[in-house]
Amino acid sequence: MYWINLLWCFLIVSFLGWLFSCFYHFIGEGKFYSKGFLTLPFCSTYGAGALICYLIFQPLTDNIFIIFIGSALLLSFFMVISGLIGEKILSCKPWDYSSMRFNIGSFITLPYALLLGVGGVCSVRVIIPAILLFVGMIPEFLSIIISLSIAVLILIDFALSLVTVFRLKKRVNTLINNTKLLSDNIKEEELVELEENYNKIFADSILRKRLVTAFPELKHTAYIKQLKAKLNKLKEENKKQFTAVYENKEDKPFASGLCFSKLFILFVIGSFVGTCIETVYALVTEGHFEFRVGVVYGPFIPVYGGGAVLLTIVLYKMYKLSDTLVFIIGGLLGAFFEYICSWGQETFLGTVSWDYSDYPLNIGGRTCLLFACFWGFLGLIWIRYLYPMASRLIEKIPKKQGSVILLVVFILAIYDGFMTVAAIYRWNQRIEKVPASNVFEEYLDERFDDQRMKLLFPHMRDSESLEELETNSGNAGNAK
């Protein structure tokens, strides 16, 4: 009955999604019609999305913020993949957000991603539990017969719609290919006849009429090509930051191209932004202000800075790839980098700053699918929007002043890193009751005593204590 109950959840949420879609378009366009691929009143993307969120985030029911962020990321990725598949089948976009700002491949945009996050929370905490409670009251035999019958009807509907689309595309392509053979001196009567024949293709069956009503772009392929051209033009403007060439060395601005100077500045900026993100994260999830840093001096978390540098180096030459590939590569890179940083800290310093053992689909508690998706979207937004803007701002810095500032900041960063490692190492020694053996260690004990270290790194644990917490309570420390 478990799988039958999940099937019921898929069917009911798909129907509710269809209703929502119909009313949404009724409010926006003033007419009520089905906007889905199926003839039956079901939108399978809603049902599948809700089920994915429930299966992944059901163990984290009490953490609304994680469910919200995770649902927004996962469902946005699901929408992009579904949109790409739909575009491949229909030869036009099933939905299009290219006219809105902060869109990703025109299949998703930031406001809608946030709405998906809210929908994921509602699905996990309210909708699906209510559905499971309802279907539990249906007699088992009757529940199996009804749910499987509806599922079979949906599969038949999907197959018929798929065949209709393929046959429609074949007839359209045949007609278009024939028109290409016509000469430039074609008569007006012949053009009128071609137009009439073209329109008849979309109106000679009920299924085709419904598909054209749901996806009017099927009749306007020229419009879709024009739209793609505009999007490509906008992307070309951003690509100038990746392809700029200067004939003379004197013409090059400060930190031009992909050089150490620019990467180091990006590292500093990313480290600072990481502190801001983690501080806000602590305020939202834990309900109190907690200034999170990764070094003993300054508001910086080097993991974020290193992630920004890694994403820039790897994705710099991949800007021509599709948004989906950039997302996947960014997610894999971020998860790998996060894992290596956690392993390196535990191996060389004997401490751990974050642990994802309680999150689904984690790898050794060092990284997990949720944060891999976060890194993927961060990489996509970084290489498409943030890096070009940051690169332009950095290159506006005067050369002489920029070189001096860069040298000073680099020296301070090296010092900060050294002192951080030394303070953490000495902190571990104090825990093990090892007395100071020289003046420098005495200075560390006085300047970075246990109270200050706990204030700077409230979630840092030594690896043995972390293992003990996992064994005894099953609940390890949380974010970076």
Side-chain angles (χ1 to χ4, degrees), residues 81-95 107:
I81 296 298
S82 301
L84 288 171
I85 295 173
E87 184 179 20
K88 191 69 175 179
I89 294 174
L90 297 169
S91 296
C92 68
K93 293 184 183 296
W95 53 84
F107 290 118

Side-chain angles (χ1 to χ4, degrees), residues 226-265:
Q226 182 181 2
L227 185 60
K228 286 184 176 180
K230 290 181 179 179
L231 291 174
N232 290 333
K233 184 178 180 180
L234 290 175
K235 287 184 178 181
E236 288 297 329
E237 293 296 323
N238 280 341
K239 289 178 184 178
K240 291 180 180 179
Q241 291 299 320
F242 301 95
T243 57
V245 177
Y246 300 92
E247 295 183 1
N248 300 319
K249 185 177 179 180
E250 294 75 16
D251 297 334
K252 288 185 178 181
F254 173 73
S256 175
L258 190 66
C259 62
F260 173 80
S261 299
K262 181 174 289 183
L263 289 175
F264 179 72
I265 295 174

